[in-house]
């Protein structure tokens, strides 16, 4: 359609006549240019939606090479931290998503299976080492794999807890001291597999 209008305009204003072969080449050229423009516009839309250009505009003033980043952990010593965990019921998966965590002392998030008496029992998964601080972004806590892999099915209930690190920055049997909440009670947040 656009190529036809361009040809009509050229013929009328410039009194230019094209052979059939020239007209076919012009059609192909304008079609290729049109396709490239449409693909470029789509790519820009996708890049803007995915946020690929956000780092360009989030640079510090006067420093165009360094991207300003917002840490997911706040470690301001003037803020008093209380242990807290926000986790919701979630579908069966190899990991559990914890929405946010506040941790007073370095340690780990651990998943404990709920016993028949409704209390936390043995550990079936753990996070990596977490420094003391407030984690606002979600954290993935994997279930154990291999011979320790638990049988997790819909309807199973678990507890997410914090245990203090024994000093080696790796979760092991020595990491048994569970964290307490602000009121001094054991912090164990229950969630169910949907």
């Amino acid at each position: 359609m656009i190529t036809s209008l361009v040809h009509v305009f050229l013929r009328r204003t410039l009194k230019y006549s094209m052979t059939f072969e020239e007209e076919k080449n012009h059609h192909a050229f304008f079609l290729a240019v049109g396709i490239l423009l449409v693909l470029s516009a789509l790519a820009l839309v996708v890049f803007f939606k995915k946020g690929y250009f956000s780092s360009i505009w989030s640079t510090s003033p006067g420093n165009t090479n360094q991207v300003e980043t917002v840490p997911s952990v706040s470690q301001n010593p003037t803020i008093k931290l209380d242990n807290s965990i926000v986790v919701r019921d979630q579908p069966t998966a190899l990991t559990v998503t914890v929405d946010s965590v506040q941790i007073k002392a370095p340690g780990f998030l651990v998943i404990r299976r709920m016993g028949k008496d409704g209390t936390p029992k043995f550990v079936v998964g753990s996070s990596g080492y977490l420094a003391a601080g407030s984690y606002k972004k979600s954290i993935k806590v994997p279930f154990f794999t291999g011979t320790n892999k638990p049988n997790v099915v819909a309807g199973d209930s678990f507890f997410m807890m914090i245990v203090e690190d024994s000093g080696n920055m790796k979760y092991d049997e020595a990491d048994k001291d569970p964290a307490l909440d602000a009121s001094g009670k054991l912090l164990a947040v229950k969630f169910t597999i949907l």
Side-chain angles (χ1 to χ4, degrees):
M1 171 85 179
I2 294 173
T3 56
S4 302
L5 291 173
V6 170
H7 287 289
V8 168
F9 174 77
L10 286 173
R11 284 185 189 145
R12 288 192 180 167
T13 57
L14 302 176
K15 297 184 175 143
Y16 176 73
S17 62
M18 288 188 259
T19 65
F20 177 75
E21 194 61 38
E22 288 175 327
E23 195 169 321
K24 194 166 85 172
N25 289 340
H26 277 38
H27 279 289
F29 173 75
F30 284 115
L31 181 64
V33 169
I35 289 171
L36 283 174
L37 288 173
V38 169
L39 290 175
S40 298
L42 287 172
L44 282 173
V45 168
V46 168
F47 285 150
F48 274 108
K49 280 194 167 197
K50 297 266 187 189
Y52 291 124
F53 294 119
S54 62
S55 63
I56 295 172
W57 293 302
S58 66
T59 55
S60 310
N63 185 356
T64 56
N65 295 328
Q66 187 173 357
V67 177
E68 198 172 281
T69 58
V70 179
S72 62
V73 181
S74 64
Q75 295 176 322
N76 186 340
T78 61
I79 297 173
K80 183 179 178 280
L81 291 175
D82 288 317
N83 293 315
S84 67
I85 301 169
V86 177
V87 62
R88 292 174 278 170
D89 295 345
Q90 48 202 283
T92 305
L94 298 175
T95 59
V96 175
T97 301
V98 178
D99 297 320
S100 64
V101 175
Q102 197 166 288
I103 181 170
K104 283 173 76 170
F108 308 90
L109 286 171
V110 294
I111 306 168
R112 287 187 178 267
R113 188 175 285 282
M114 187 176 80
K116 291 180 182 177
D117 60 355
T119 61
K121 296 301 179 190
F122 52 94
V123 177
V124 293
S126 73
S127 71
Y129 176 83
L130 297 172
S134 182
Y135 293 78
K136 302 297 184 189
K137 291 185 178 179
S138 62
I139 298 172
K140 303 282 187 188
V141 182
F143 284 103
F144 291 142
T145 57
T147 56
N148 294 329
K149 182 179 179 181
N151 182 22
V152 179
V153 294
D156 285 352
S157 291
F158 298 90
F159 288 96
M160 188 64 67
M161 300 174 67
I162 300 169
V163 294
E164 291 183 19
D165 179 37
S166 60
N168 61 3
M169 299 175 72
K170 292 181 181 178
Y171 178 73
D172 55 32
E173 290 299 314
D175 303 312
K176 292 181 179 177
D177 295 333
L180 305 178
D181 64 16
S183 65
K185 294 180 182 175
L186 180 68
L187 178 61
V189 180
K190 181 184 168 191
F191 66 94
T192 303
I193 301 299
L194 303 174

